[in-house]
Amino acid sequence: MADTTDHEDREDMGRLNAGHDASLNALMDRHTERLFHYLLRQLNNETDAAEIAQESFVRVYHNRARFDPAQKFSTWLYAIATNLVRDRFRWHQRHPQVSLDAEREETGSILDSLPDTVASASEQLQAQERAGEVRAAVQSLPEELRTPLILFEYEGLSQAEIGAVMNCTAKAIETRLYRARNQLRKRLAGLLRAT
């Protein structure tokens, strides 16, 4: 399946580069959902994730002539998105904001839109608390550790592909994954003992 997708991506990028703008739609159809979920894990904000996903494809379009067909399109796309995430974090650091609706925003989450299961109310609450602790632990990781962890664990990219996204070696990614897991293990030690 991955080989077929890679081949389709290369063909669509070739057509896009040749002036067939509709080829971008096929690329978006194949990659938008996974890219959005990656960005959601990175940013923990649906609006920001949707904006950066859209901006990523705008950058694909504008930089279509720079795409190297020897490279996987998905790796190139994740590199673009990761750079946009870094830019967003830098912007937020320089322009801190405090929302007047902060309390209300924190109570609503993507978990609210998931269907109910047969678990009891206390089990659901415990599961939500655990999920929140894991999300917070992942978000607390430095960007250099969080990004490879999300790309490896959730997006299924190889260490070499993540290295291409982050412009470093696969060995460096292996080290970062090890460090990220150790930090998570320490941060979530209480949670791990309780389960």
Side-chain angles (χ1 to χ4, degrees):
M1 179 68 182
D3 290 338
T4 304
T5 301
D6 292 342
H7 180 72
E8 290 173 346
D9 290 344
R10 285 185 183 95
E11 285 183 349
D12 284 332
M13 282 303 296
R15 284 192 288 272
L16 185 63
N17 201 24
H20 300 280
D21 293 348
S23 296
L24 184 62
N25 293 335
L27 290 164
M28 290 174 71
D29 288 344
R30 277 193 299 278
H31 296 281
T32 297
E33 185 175 347
R34 285 191 67 200
L35 181 65
F36 173 76
H37 290 290
Y38 162 68
L39 292 167
L40 186 58
R41 288 182 186 101
Q42 279 280 42
L43 299 164
N44 209 23
N45 181 301
E46 290 183 32
T47 304
D48 287 349
E51 286 176 12
I52 291 183
Q54 188 174 20
E55 178 63 24
S56 296
F57 284 106
V58 169
R59 298 277 174 103
V60 164
Y61 180 79
H62 287 298
N63 295 296
R64 62 191 177 275
R66 293 183 182 168
F67 175 70
D68 177 6
Q71 184 181 18
K72 283 180 70 174
F73 172 77
S74 60
T75 302
W76 187 57
L77 178 64
Y78 280 110
I80 290 169
T82 300
N83 286 332
L84 289 170
V85 167
R86 282 187 193 128
D87 292 345
R88 178 68 53 109
F89 283 138
R90 285 184 198 123
W91 189 88
H92 281 299
Q93 285 176 341
R94 288 190 307 266
H95 303 90
Q97 296 178 351
V98 177
S99 173
L100 297 175
D101 298 326
E103 184 177 318
R104 189 177 55 160
E105 288 173 3
E106 289 179 18
T107 59
S109 74
I110 195 165
L111 293 174
D112 297 336
S113 63
L114 295 176
D116 289 338
T117 61
V118 293
S120 71
S122 65
E123 289 172 332
Q124 288 177 353
L125 182 59
Q126 287 175 343
Q128 287 177 350
E129 287 174 356
R130 282 192 302 270
E133 287 181 45
V134 171
R135 276 194 303 273
V138 171
Q139 284 296 311
S140 73
L141 291 172
E143 187 269 333
E144 72 175 20
L145 301 180
R146 183 181 59 248
T147 298
L149 182 74
I150 292 171
L151 288 171
F152 186 80
E153 295 294 338
Y154 295 102
E155 301 306 321
L157 270 64
S158 70
Q159 292 176 4
E161 291 170 326
I162 298 167
V165 168
M166 298 190 70
N167 199 24
C168 62
T169 66
K171 188 67 177 170
I173 296 301
E174 181 180 350
T175 302
R176 290 177 187 185
L177 288 170
Y178 176 79
R179 288 176 47 214
R181 288 181 183 125
N182 278 344
Q183 285 188 22
L184 285 177
R185 202 172 287 117
K186 289 176 187 172
R187 174 111 192 245
L188 298 170
L191 180 65
L192 293 173
R193 281 190 290 259
T195 56

